[in-house]
Amino acid sequence: PDEPCPGSSSCFSCLAYNVNDPRTFISDVFATYNYDAQDGHYIAAMTLQRSGNFRVLCYLETNGDKLPLTSAPLPIQVDPGAISSSQTRVTGEGLIRAVAGQQQVMTVTTRDQYENPVTSGNAVFSGTLRGPLMVPIAFARIEGGQFTATYTATASGEYVVSIMRGGGEPIDDSPWGPPDAGLTVAPAVVDASKSTFVDQMCPPADDSPAIYFDICGRGLPSRSVTAEAGQNFSFTVVSRDFYTNILANGGDFILSTARRSDSFRLING
């Protein structure tokens, strides 16, 4: 305390510090005489909000002198409190971006209300991605109060990530979603067997810029296409990954060749 022995010529004062950093005094209080017991005992009440190994030093302060008690320091082990859902944290690249078909991992760190990692006990989590598909999140305990949260999304697009503890209590700032947060799943690499081939004989579907070859043949075309000699013939190739997600950003090299049989062959490059 700043003022030595307020209202008295002598008193007991105590302070606590962390063993790993003795220069950091966590708490500093006066001891109060136990008037109920009237047995010469004083009570020093402290509230330590950080877990870890601490030492408590007590002094007798008299007329400006500060003499340490011979029994000090007193060792104290401060354990974390109960898990706090609002202080539990989720970290990892998988919280903001992923690639279709690839397993992504996030880390859940359980903490108490004072942000101390809770390294013992157990916790039950549940979670989902909500977007083009509903994707479950699987949880596994690792060590030190941490859990892995894994998922595999196969549809590209924007997702809302929701993680809860126990009976449905949101953790951290869950759910995370657009526009301020959320997960973006990008398409995987182009797959020629899933890409679509379109020409003027295959009008696009209502909900897609291209059409699967359920009508005009699926995948790479094996049918013949009619073109007039000496004139350009145009067609469109829509690149898709293995999960049929459209690669909208481009950048893939696709080579088409015309053979005497009038069929086309697409080669990934």
Side-chain angles (χ1 to χ4, degrees):
D2 295 332
E3 182 183 354
C5 302
S8 177
S9 60
S10 65
C11 61
F12 291 103
S13 65
C14 298
L15 61 86
Y17 63 89
N18 191 294
V19 173
N20 295 324
D21 189 0
R23 297 169 300 175
T24 303
F25 300 134
I26 307 300
S27 184
D28 199 357
V29 299
F30 284 114
T32 303
Y33 182 67
N34 189 345
Y35 290 99
D36 294 332
Q38 293 290 333
D39 56 1
H41 291 177
Y42 287 73
I43 298 174
M46 294 182 173
T47 300
L48 302 179
Q49 297 182 353
R50 290 289 178 261
S51 61
N53 294 317
F54 290 84
R55 296 290 185 269
V56 176
L57 294 172
C58 290
Y59 301 88
L60 173 61
E61 299 191 31
T62 304
N63 298 324
D65 294 328
K66 193 172 184 179
L67 303 175
L69 302 186
T70 56
S71 59
L74 174 67
I76 296 179
Q77 171 65 41
V78 180
D79 295 328
I83 294 174
S84 169
S85 297
S86 62
Q87 295 298 334
T88 293
R89 292 293 178 255
V90 183
T91 56
E93 190 77 5
L95 189 60
I96 56 176
R97 60 177 62 89
V99 176
Q102 295 183 10
Q103 186 183 75
Q104 304 296 324
V105 180
M106 300 175 288
T107 300
V108 179
T109 302
T110 54
R111 307 197 301 184
D112 67 12
Q113 63 176 323
Y114 302 111
E115 302 182 3
N116 298 302
V118 180
T119 58
S120 61
N122 198 10
V124 177
F125 296 98
S126 61
T128 57
L129 310 182
R130 290 181 287 111
L133 295 176
M134 288 287 290
V135 181
I137 302 175
F139 297 87
R141 187 181 183 92
I142 41 180
E143 59 181 10
Q146 291 188 321
F147 295 75
T148 58
T150 59
Y151 66 87
T152 303
T154 56
S156 61
E158 300 292 325
Y159 287 81
V160 175
V161 182
S162 177
I163 299 179
M164 294 165 288
R165 183 175 73 92
E169 188 174 338
I171 68 170
D172 205 340
D173 293 323
S174 175
W176 299 271
D180 298 327
L183 167 68
T184 300
V185 177
V189 297
V190 64
D191 188 310
S193 67
K194 303 296 182 179
S195 298
T196 54
F197 172 86
V198 181
D199 62 26
Q200 64 268 31
M201 298 177 63
C202 295
D206 294 337
D207 59 349
S208 174
I211 185 172
Y212 290 121
F213 277 76
D214 295 332
I215 299 174
C216 296
R218 185 172 177 81
L220 303 184
S222 59
R223 64 186 179 84
S224 61
V225 177
T226 301
E228 185 176 342
Q231 294 188 0
N232 290 332
F233 171 73
S234 64
F235 59 91
T236 301
V237 176
V238 180
S239 60
R240 299 176 184 267
D241 65 11
F242 178 79
Y243 305 98
T244 69
N245 298 304
I246 295 177
L247 279 74
N249 292 331
D252 295 298
F253 175 73
I254 298 177
L255 174 66
S256 62
T257 59
R259 298 184 300 180
R260 184 62 181 175
S261 61
D262 293 329
S263 63
F264 289 91
R265 180 170 57 92
L266 300 183
I267 302 173
N268 286 337

